[in-house]
Amino acid sequence: MLIRPERSASLKALFRPESVAVIGASSNILRFGGRPIDYMKRAGFEGAIYPVNPTRDVIQGLRAYPTLSAIGDSIDCALVSVPTDETVAAIRDCAEAGVKAAIVFSAGFAENGPAGRALQDEMVAIARTSGMRLLGPNCMGAFHAGHRFYGTFTVTFEDQIPPPGNVGLVSQSGGYGGYVMRHAAMREIGVAAWATTGNEADIDAGELMLHLAGDDDVEVIVTYLEGLRNGAAFVEGLAAAKAAGKPVVAMKVGRTEEGRVAAASHTASLTGEDAIYDAVFEEFGVIRASTSRELLDMTYALSRGRRPRGDRVGVVSISGGVGVQICDYVADAGLSLGVSPDALRQELTSLVPAASTRNPIDMTGLVSMNHDLMEKTMDATLASGAFDAVVVFLGICGMTPSMAEPLRDVIIRAQERHPEALVLLSVTAPEDEMPGYSRGGVLAFEDPADAIAALKALWRAPTPGQRAALMAPGPAVALPEGAGRLDEAKAKALLAGLGLRPPREERAADAAGAAAAAERIGGAVALKIVSPDIAHKTEAGGVALRLSGTDAVRAAAEAMLPRVAQAAPEARLDGFLVSEMVTDGAEMLLGLTRDPIFGPMVTVGAGGTLVELLKDTAVARAPVTEAAAKAMILSLRTAPLLTGWRGSPALDVDALARAIAALSSAFAATPRLATIEVNPVVVRAQGLVALDAVIETSLGAKEEEHHERR
Amino acid sequence: MLIRPERSASLKALFRPESVAVIGASSNILRFGGRPIDYMKRAGFEGAIYPVNPTRDVIQGLRAYPTLSAIGDSIDCALVSVPTDETVAAIRDCAEAGVKAAIVFSAGFAENGPAGRALQDEMVAIARTSGMRLLGPNCMGAFHAGHRFYGTFTVTFEDQIPPPGNVGLVSQSGGYGGYVMRHAAMREIGVAAWATTGNEADIDAGELMLHLAGDDDVEVIVTYLEGLRNGAAFVEGLAAAKAAGKPVVAMKVGRTEEGRVAAASHTASLTGEDAIYDAVFEEFGVIRASTSRELLDMTYALSRGRRPRGDRVGVVSISGGVGVQICDYVADAGLSLGVSPDALRQELTSLVPAASTRNPIDMTGLVSMNHDLMEKTMDATLASGAFDAVVVFLGICGMTPSMAEPLRDVIIRAQERHPEALVLLSVTAPEDEMPGYSRGGVLAFEDPADAIAALKALWRAPTPGQRAALMAPGPAVALPEGAGRLDEAKAKALLAGLGLRPPREERAADAAGAAAAAERIGGAVALKIVSPDIAHKTEAGGVALRLSGTDAVRAAAEAMLPRVAQAAPEARLDGFLVSEMVTDGAEMLLGLTRDPIFGPMVTVGAGGTLVELLKDTAVARAPVTEAAAKAMILSLRTAPLLTGWRGSPALDVDALARAIAALSSAFAATPRLATIEVNPVVVRAQGLVALDAVIETSLGAKEEEHHERR
């Protein structure tokens, strides 16, 4: 399943075919085999359309062919809309005819159980042999608006075929793909290309995103995901989109346990842990939407192509209360409120003496009745240079045309005169008048909360040129043969080689030896009796903690021997273990695991029971750079405990970041490392001590394959 | 400012006047003094309308009067719409004429600075003298739809006056009040009564809510708040609404620091700490909205008057992907997913063999094209008894009338046949067709996320009969004269009297005495030297911790004396302090403070630096019952640390709850207690120990007044 460039290029036939065959073509433009022909004719598709149907000579005015082979032309793309039991034969015909890509509408395959899966596997095998690509089965197809190709039966185009735009949409759900398409059309969000992936027997969402990242017609990519099987392809798609400066908006359903269970019953796909999706989205700057409205608002805003230069928001309202509300949304979004300069405040006061001229700027209902005042307000506010975006609340003025149109026009003109700051409008207007507010660069929304959510997306989306720093895995570490848990010595050695030293400790034969060991170790030590016969050392009086100085250690050892001998008279005593006491610093947890979808992942979190309760962790794909590791650490809610909280000393975050980078790098490079958990690792003012760790290895065949794919 | 019943009853003249004078009446129906007359005439107000204007004989077809006194009839309500500098005189005329309530539209008062505030105070003084009530100034007025009284100049009624409904709306912002009114009309949410409070010189939002709680036309109360000055009146309003079983939806802006600063600049009112508002809302079951859409969706759903009997949600979709999405929203909302019984699953499979019949139920696109199948699906699902609410996703079917209308009608009919479960629809339809989906008890929304948010509100809102358990404050505690910090002995005695004992400790003259004291105290002890001359006992060797048994205590005391004598040869030594060591249990914090708006508040939180960082606290108005205190404790994120986390012992939560109840009760009853902070109090397996506490007292005059008002 390694994705090679030529495979991605092979998707050209899926979006921009020169010739299209429709197998199972219908004269009824409401049937699956009829709609695509109707849409392509109406859209003015310039390639050849060949209906295939053994019972008709002419379909929708086009010559029909009894079989694919009767066409006698090369076919780039075939749409397969025949009953389930005829699909494999149709795919075989396509392969034999040299079709480059087949879109299989038909359902009844893997989603229906083992028998269907066998049929699906057979189709894939046929396609692989000929090099043909497959979209579906059980999908709604694909279209490319610029190429006027409509290989889909979505009902969305029944009324009209909307003009092309710059959005590329990849949906794992056909129904949801149509839903978004319809809403996009209603809001005049132009779509360039669209694909629904159905069962993903061959082409999956990741590969489609990779392809769209390279399509010049596409500037924003939107994806709807239920669950991925091939994380590597998805990551490749995201990396390509980021490199191309194309923002990605994603809705991933199955966020919650309830949703995950539901997703498992809906498709055959795995739904991964949501936090891991979040980590991957974060890595590539993907903007996550949790509702359709968010998805559409963000897509709308991003598709207009303008970004704020900074995060300073200005708020202009005709109602003070709503201005305060908008400030709440600005704070929620992590944006900042700009500060009205004095000159602006004076100018606004001269326009409306009763105005509140601090930000939020409340120009009172007066400006709603006087568009000249609104124009001057906008000019002054935008020209002040104090704001990177200005949100204007017009409220229900939009419902009164005599008020609304002049206000709208002066705001649009002001935006055109002052393009350096973005203008976002919040207005209640009849549905069909909303697009009229969206001109001259102005973005229009009904609810101000939606405007701010969209602005956040504009501000957070990666800009062209921001490349994802993909870390190469470091050198592999040597492991003993076989699968299982590494013994203590090997685990310690492995971690020490990566900058995570164990606590210092030494064996000593007698009290004098223990004192000498303590001196070499330095600082406070713990003293423990060594005996193969004593399971519970503390109960037997065989543990002394926090001993400082050689005298204390010698005295404790001398007192310990008779005490233990009395408590466990038959135990063999083999001297002492002297260990460094680690009582300072903060306990953290480091974990490395292999996710079935996204491969090696690294987790850092605060250790200890309390924080386990709070689930305060950060996770990312491994390997991570030191800088990324440090960002993960600092993203923890309990990070202040490391960086100096209330006068406590700052701890060695850099050493922890180095260890995370080294550990993640070695883990990614060594497929037979199944899991590593260092818990706790103590971060001290200087350096780290790994107090305990578990390292598991596997036989590794599966992991090696996974690793190679990345 | 004590609210007495007769004052609240005096608001009747504000909403249901028999006679209305309009001072500053205008013939221009677009002016402030013209709109109310126009609205009342169009609505068919049955009382007398008396325009007052010295320059006109007839206004809008009604006889006009040069002065109020020229009318010669008694006036229930006067609308005052004159320039700022004529307002005081108009109010004086009203008072002299025996007007019961005046609504002052005019602006330029407290919101404009000290001179305006002086005028406003003068108005209030005049009104108080005559017993007249004042709404405003600087407000948009009020209306009562059932009484057909429209004492408002909101532009909302320019086009039409919507039919009455059962919602009462109280808004501190006139502009926002109009905004909500307009949206309510667009969504066919009927409003019974509406008031905007402006500067709240006399009547405030709380008093209006109290009044509406007693208005039989009002079944749901909606309020928009920027900040309250009189928390007691608000609490009284909420308590009355809860007692009457009228759910309250509140939007309180200024949630964030940014919003608070903005609110302070917008009005003269205090914006209280948001967590305290949340606590008060929680106490009375108020549903908080953070966007206008939420506010409207929740109000819409509540105004229909149907509630789910439980929280089991069923999801019926025509697209599996959206079904999964809806499950995410259900989980987010804290509702539960119902389980399809086997019989239902069989029945649905017999209707659509390819259906997913677990919940979410995906009936595939087939049902969207076959309303008969949809009808059978709905009947089977509703009749199963497995769901208290069923969310049906129709998606863009609503945009195709031929599909939409039959689907809508069968769903509505199914709901009528099976009223025991609530049906919520999510459908994309032309704006003006949305109300058509809202019949027969069905609730309709565009986005499924909105449907679930509204369902959550329906489920969470208090039902009639749930009374707020208002705690009476307990007996006051005796305090020394004067303001300041209580000394240690008094503080300890006060807390001990309320069930919070200090650690056990005893003075001892010598080593033998220390050993005897340790035996009386029991368990491990700490031993400290007592000396007026030693500030840093640890450095001087004057502290020994975790001593168990009399021998260890005696030995430690004997070793300590020469050590300290050597370290501090000139210090006077006065024996030892032997204290109980508290090393078990969990550290918590208890705080009692007086909020300037809501009075005595009690806070409980986990103690210690880590949790201070996480701000894990719960707050409520004091006093609280033991049961409420326990709920507060259990609401903490770190509550599992108290109730037994990972095998750790369960701690004495009941003792902590008892202490919170006792402390909050004494605090509320003793106005001179300014603050109490017990930090930490250690909760052990049995009982509590207050390790440290600070208690501040005040002279108390202000607090006494506040207390009396509650």
Side-chain angles (χ1 to χ4, degrees):
Chain A
M1 286 276 282
L2 179 65
I3 293 177
R4 297 182 191 86
E6 64 269 26
R7 279 194 92 199
S8 169
S10 69
L11 297 192
K12 196 184 164 203
L14 188 73
F15 286 113
R16 299 179 190 254
E18 295 304 322
S19 52
V20 180
V22 182
I23 305 174
S26 172
S27 295
N28 182 341
I29 61 165
L30 296 181
R31 304 199 63 160
F32 292 2
R35 287 186 186 271
I37 298 172
D38 177 48
Y39 297 164
M40 281 187 276
K41 285 178 64 186
R42 281 162 49 202
F45 177 58
E46 291 175 348
I49 306 174
Y50 300 113
V52 178
N53 185 326
T55 67
R56 292 269 197 293
D57 290 336
V58 173
I59 283 179
Q60 297 188 40
L62 298 170
R63 180 180 161 192
Y65 298 83
T67 62
L68 202 63
S69 56
I71 296 171
D73 185 12
S74 75
I75 306 295
D76 283 350
C77 181
L79 313 181
V80 181
S81 178
V82 295
T84 312
D85 56 2
E86 297 170 23
T87 309
V88 172
I91 289 295
R92 191 170 287 119
D93 290 348
C94 289
E96 283 167 7
V99 167
K100 290 179 186 148
I103 299 178
V104 186
F105 296 160
S106 320
F109 297 93
E111 82 278 13
N112 262 24
R117 170 165 295 281
L119 286 178
Q120 181 172 313
D121 290 347
E122 196 179 344
M123 283 198 291
V124 173
I126 295 165
R128 288 274 153 82
T129 312
S130 77
M132 180 172 75
R133 303 306 308 275
L134 272 189
L135 185 66
N138 187 25
C139 79
M140 278 207 196
F143 74 80
H144 194 291
H147 194 65
R148 305 187 208 174
F149 165 65
Y150 287 83
T152 173
F153 64 90
T154 173
V155 298
T156 306
F157 300 124
E158 206 175 295
D159 305 334
Q160 61 158 341
I161 293 178
N166 60 0
V167 174
L169 190 117
V170 176
S171 175
Q172 289 192 317
S173 158
Y176 194 72
Y179 181 80
V180 171
M181 191 58 222
R182 181 71 189 224
H183 278 268
M186 282 161 62
R187 297 186 56 169
E188 298 189 2
I189 302 170
V191 174
W194 179 97
T196 63
T197 61
N199 290 3
E200 300 195 343
D202 173 28
I203 299 167
D204 69 5
E207 196 182 354
L208 287 164
M209 290 174 66
L210 177 63
H211 182 82
L212 294 181
D215 184 324
D216 288 345
D217 286 5
V218 172
E219 288 170 358
V220 177
I221 296 175
V222 178
T223 185
Y224 175 86
L225 303 171
E226 294 175 353
L228 296 171
R229 282 190 298 259
N230 184 351
F234 185 69
V235 162
E236 205 175 348
L238 292 183
K242 185 163 180 178
K246 300 185 180 181
V248 177
V249 178
M251 181 185 282
K252 162 72 180 68
V253 298
R255 283 183 291 111
T256 61
E257 195 50 45
E258 286 78 356
R260 261 198 292 284
V261 172
S265 76
H266 170 234
T267 69
S269 53
L270 272 165
T271 305
E273 284 295 313
D274 202 58
I276 290 179
Y277 275 96
D278 268 337
V280 173
F281 291 162
E282 169 79 18
E283 180 180 351
F284 294 100
V286 173
I287 299 155
R288 187 165 188 176
S290 61
T291 64
S292 301
R293 185 181 296 115
E294 270 180 28
L295 181 133
L296 288 157
D297 283 338
M298 291 167 173
T299 303
Y300 158 70
L302 286 161
S303 71
R304 302 284 149 155
R306 298 179 67 217
R307 303 285 190 87
R309 297 181 185 179
D311 71 344
R312 299 168 307 159
V313 182
V315 177
V316 173
S317 79
I318 55 172
S319 151
V322 179
V324 177
Q325 224 183 91
I326 298 175
C327 292
D328 282 341
Y329 305 142
V330 168
D332 289 342
L335 300 167
S336 72
L337 273 182
V339 177
S340 299
D342 286 344
L344 172 62
R345 297 187 66 169
Q346 282 159 24
E347 202 168 342
L348 295 174
T349 301
S350 76
L351 293 174
V352 177
S356 278
T357 60
R358 281 167 50 134
N359 194 17
I361 296 164
D362 173 12
M363 295 303 280
T364 79
L366 263 185
V367 289
S368 64
M369 290 176 270
N370 183 330
H371 62 264
D372 190 46
L373 279 181
M374 178 57 94
E375 183 153 27
K376 287 177 174 140
T377 299
M378 290 306 300
D379 275 335
T381 306
L382 294 172
S384 73
F387 311 109
D388 302 302
V390 175
V391 179
V392 184
F393 179 77
L394 291 184
I396 55 176
C397 293
M399 297 305 288
T400 312
S402 62
M403 265 178 171
E405 282 170 28
L407 284 175
R408 181 192 66 197
D409 294 344
V410 298
I411 290 169
I412 289 169
R413 280 205 302 272
Q415 170 72 99
E416 285 167 344
R417 278 193 295 275
H418 305 284
E420 56 282 356
L422 244 63
V423 175
L424 295 92
L425 263 181
S426 164
V427 62
T428 302
E431 213 164 19
D432 55 351
E433 288 177 22
M434 283 302 287
Y437 287 88
S438 194
R439 286 186 288 116
V442 171
L443 299 171
F445 303 84
E446 178 168 314
D447 200 298
D450 298 338
I452 297 296
L455 180 59
K456 177 182 176 182
L458 289 179
W459 170 238
R460 291 286 173 83
T463 46
Q466 286 183 337
R467 283 181 172 272
L470 284 176
M471 268 287 287
V477 292
L479 292 176
E481 296 289 312
R485 181 175 293 198
L486 288 194
D487 68 33
E488 194 180 334
K490 291 205 177 72
K492 280 180 176 168
L494 190 156
L495 293 178
L498 298 168
L500 277 162
R501 73 164 180 85
R504 278 188 271 271
E505 55 189 23
E506 286 189 28
R507 287 283 292 274
D510 52 26
E519 187 151 34
R520 283 190 293 275
I521 289 168
V525 297
L527 180 75
K528 294 178 196 166
I529 198 79
V530 177
S531 165
D533 305 317
I534 301 177
H536 302 290
K537 294 186 175 71
T538 303
E539 284 74 355
V543 176
L545 301 174
R546 297 185 192 82
L547 303 171
S548 289
T550 51
D551 289 354
V553 174
R554 186 179 297 110
E558 282 166 356
M560 187 178 287
L561 276 180
R563 193 167 59 217
V564 172
Q566 196 184 350
E570 288 167 29
R572 288 161 292 171
L573 304 185
D574 294 344
F576 303 95
L577 183 71
V578 186
S579 310
E580 171 186 18
M581 285 287 319
V582 182
T583 52
D584 60 328
E587 294 193 350
M588 302 289 289
L589 168 155
L590 294 184
L592 290 120
T593 50
R594 294 190 188 274
D595 181 69
I597 301 165
F598 290 105
M601 306 294 302
V602 57
T603 301
V604 59
T609 48
L610 176 57
V611 190
E612 208 168 317
L613 170 70
L614 299 172
K615 297 187 178 60
D616 187 24
T617 58
V619 62
R621 289 196 316 134
V624 294
T625 61
E626 259 181 67
K630 194 162 175 178
M632 288 171 74
I633 299 165
L634 296 180
S635 77
L636 297 174
R637 271 184 291 158
T638 49
L641 298 179
L642 301 175
T643 53
W645 165 250
R646 307 227 154 181
S648 68
L651 303 176
D652 200 342
V653 171
D654 289 332
L656 184 61
R658 275 194 301 277
I660 293 170
L663 212 57
S664 69
S665 176
F667 185 76
T670 315
R672 285 193 45 234
L673 279 172
T675 60
I676 300 179
E677 184 172 306
V678 190
N679 184 17
V681 50
V682 177
V683 186
R684 312 175 82 172
Q686 293 237 325
L688 313 173
V689 186
L691 291 189
D692 201 3
V694 175
I695 300 179
E696 305 263 4
T697 63
S698 66
L699 294 175
K702 206 173 142 213
E703 282 74 10
E704 263 156 27
E705 184 203 318
H706 189 102
H707 173 63
E708 198 176 85
R709 266 160 48 194
R710 293 186 65 236
Chain B
M1 286 276 279
L2 177 67
I3 292 177
R4 295 180 192 88
E6 64 270 25
R7 279 195 91 200
S8 168
S10 68
L11 297 191
K12 194 182 166 204
L14 189 73
F15 286 113
R16 300 181 189 250
E18 295 303 322
S19 53
V20 180
V22 182
I23 305 175
S26 172
S27 297
N28 183 341
I29 61 165
L30 297 181
R31 303 199 65 161
F32 292 2
R35 287 186 186 273
I37 299 171
D38 177 47
Y39 298 163
M40 281 187 276
K41 285 178 62 188
R42 281 163 49 204
F45 176 59
E46 292 176 347
I49 307 174
Y50 300 111
V52 177
N53 185 326
T55 68
R56 292 267 197 296
D57 290 336
V58 174
I59 283 179
Q60 298 188 42
L62 299 171
R63 178 180 163 191
Y65 298 83
T67 62
L68 202 61
S69 56
I71 295 172
D73 186 12
S74 75
I75 307 292
D76 284 349
C77 181
L79 312 180
V80 180
S81 179
V82 296
T84 311
D85 55 2
E86 298 171 20
T87 308
V88 173
I91 288 296
R92 189 169 288 118
D93 290 349
C94 289
E96 284 168 5
V99 167
K100 291 179 186 148
I103 299 178
V104 186
F105 296 160
S106 319
F109 296 93
E111 81 279 12
N112 261 25
R117 170 165 294 281
L119 285 178
Q120 181 172 313
D121 290 347
E122 198 178 343
M123 283 197 293
V124 173
I126 295 165
R128 287 274 153 82
T129 312
S130 77
M132 180 172 74
R133 304 304 310 273
L134 272 188
L135 185 66
N138 186 26
C139 79
M140 278 207 196
F143 73 80
H144 194 291
H147 194 66
R148 305 189 210 173
F149 165 66
Y150 288 84
T152 174
F153 63 90
T154 173
V155 297
T156 306
F157 301 124
E158 205 174 298
D159 306 334
Q160 60 157 344
I161 293 178
N166 60 358
V167 174
L169 191 116
V170 176
S171 176
Q172 288 192 319
S173 159
Y176 194 72
Y179 181 80
V180 170
M181 191 57 222
R182 182 70 188 223
H183 279 266
M186 283 160 62
R187 297 186 57 171
E188 299 189 0
I189 302 170
V191 174
W194 177 97
T196 65
T197 61
N199 290 4
E200 300 195 342
D202 173 27
I203 299 168
D204 68 5
E207 195 182 353
L208 287 164
M209 289 173 66
L210 175 63
H211 182 81
L212 293 181
D215 184 324
D216 288 344
D217 285 5
V218 172
E219 288 171 357
V220 178
I221 297 174
V222 178
T223 184
Y224 175 86
L225 303 171
E226 294 175 352
L228 296 171
R229 282 191 299 260
N230 183 352
F234 184 70
V235 161
E236 205 175 348
L238 293 183
K242 185 163 179 178
K246 300 185 180 182
V248 176
V249 178
M251 179 184 282
K252 162 71 180 68
V253 299
R255 283 183 292 112
T256 62
E257 195 49 46
E258 286 79 355
R260 262 197 293 282
V261 172
S265 76
H266 169 235
T267 69
S269 52
L270 271 166
T271 305
E273 284 294 315
D274 202 58
I276 289 179
Y277 276 97
D278 269 336
V280 173
F281 291 163
E282 169 80 18
E283 180 180 352
F284 294 99
V286 173
I287 299 155
R288 187 166 187 175
S290 62
T291 65
S292 301
R293 184 180 298 114
E294 271 178 26
L295 180 133
L296 288 158
D297 283 338
M298 291 166 173
T299 303
Y300 158 69
L302 286 162
S303 71
R304 302 284 148 157
R306 297 180 67 218
R307 301 287 189 85
R309 297 182 185 179
D311 71 344
R312 299 168 308 159
V313 183
V315 178
V316 173
S317 80
I318 55 171
S319 150
V322 178
V324 178
Q325 228 183 88
I326 297 174
C327 291
D328 283 342
Y329 305 142
V330 169
D332 289 344
L335 299 168
S336 73
L337 271 182
V339 178
S340 299
D342 287 342
L344 172 62
R345 296 186 67 171
Q346 283 160 23
E347 200 168 345
L348 295 174
T349 302
S350 74
L351 293 174
V352 177
S356 279
T357 59
R358 280 168 50 134
N359 193 17
I361 295 164
D362 174 11
M363 295 303 281
T364 80
L366 264 185
V367 290
S368 65
M369 291 176 269
N370 183 330
H371 61 264
D372 189 47
L373 280 181
M374 177 59 94
E375 183 154 25
K376 287 176 174 139
T377 299
M378 291 305 300
D379 275 335
T381 306
L382 294 173
S384 74
F387 312 110
D388 303 302
V390 174
V391 179
V392 184
F393 178 76
L394 290 184
I396 55 176
C397 294
M399 298 306 287
T400 311
S402 62
M403 265 178 171
E405 284 171 27
L407 284 175
R408 181 193 65 196
D409 293 343
V410 298
I411 291 169
I412 290 169
R413 280 206 301 272
Q415 170 73 98
E416 286 167 344
R417 277 192 296 274
H418 304 283
E420 57 281 357
L422 243 64
V423 176
L424 295 92
L425 263 181
S426 164
V427 62
T428 302
E431 212 164 21
D432 54 351
E433 289 178 20
M434 283 303 285
Y437 287 88
S438 194
R439 286 186 288 117
V442 170
L443 298 172
F445 303 85
E446 179 169 313
D447 201 298
D450 299 339
I452 297 297
L455 180 59
K456 178 183 175 181
L458 289 180
W459 171 236
R460 292 286 173 83
T463 46
Q466 287 183 337
R467 285 184 170 269
L470 284 175
M471 268 288 287
V477 294
L479 293 176
E481 296 289 310
R485 181 174 294 197
L486 288 194
D487 68 33
E488 196 181 331
K490 290 206 178 71
K492 279 181 175 167
L494 190 156
L495 292 177
L498 297 167
L500 278 162
R501 72 165 179 85
R504 277 187 272 272
E505 56 188 21
E506 285 189 29
R507 288 284 291 276
D510 52 26
E519 186 152 33
R520 280 190 294 274
I521 289 169
V525 297
L527 181 74
K528 294 179 195 165
I529 198 80
V530 178
S531 166
D533 305 318
I534 300 176
H536 303 290
K537 294 187 176 70
T538 303
E539 285 75 354
V543 176
L545 301 174
R546 297 186 193 80
L547 303 171
S548 288
T550 51
D551 288 355
V553 175
R554 186 179 299 108
E558 281 165 358
M560 188 179 284
L561 276 180
R563 193 166 61 215
V564 173
Q566 195 183 352
E570 288 169 29
R572 287 163 294 172
L573 304 184
D574 292 346
F576 303 95
L577 184 71
V578 186
S579 311
E580 172 185 17
M581 285 285 321
V582 182
T583 52
D584 59 330
E587 292 193 349
M588 303 290 288
L589 168 155
L590 294 183
L592 290 121
T593 51
R594 293 190 189 274
D595 182 70
I597 301 164
F598 290 105
M601 306 294 303
V602 57
T603 301
V604 58
T609 48
L610 176 59
V611 191
E612 209 167 318
L613 169 71
L614 299 172
K615 298 187 176 63
D616 186 24
T617 57
V619 63
R621 291 195 316 133
V624 293
T625 60
E626 261 183 64
K630 192 162 177 181
M632 289 172 73
I633 298 166
L634 297 180
S635 77
L636 297 173
R637 272 183 292 158
T638 50
L641 298 179
L642 300 176
T643 52
W645 164 250
R646 304 225 155 186
S648 68
L651 303 177
D652 200 344
V653 171
D654 289 332
L656 185 61
R658 274 193 300 276
I660 292 170
L663 213 55
S664 68
S665 177
F667 185 77
T670 315
R672 285 192 46 232
L673 279 172
T675 61
I676 299 179
E677 184 173 305
V678 190
N679 184 16
V681 49
V682 178
V683 186
R684 310 174 84 171
Q686 293 238 322
L688 314 172
V689 186
L691 291 189
D692 202 2
V694 175
I695 300 178
E696 306 263 3
T697 63
S698 65
L699 294 175
K702 205 172 141 212
E703 281 75 8
E704 264 156 27
E705 183 202 318
H706 189 102
H707 173 64
E708 197 177 86
R709 266 162 47 197
R710 295 187 62 237

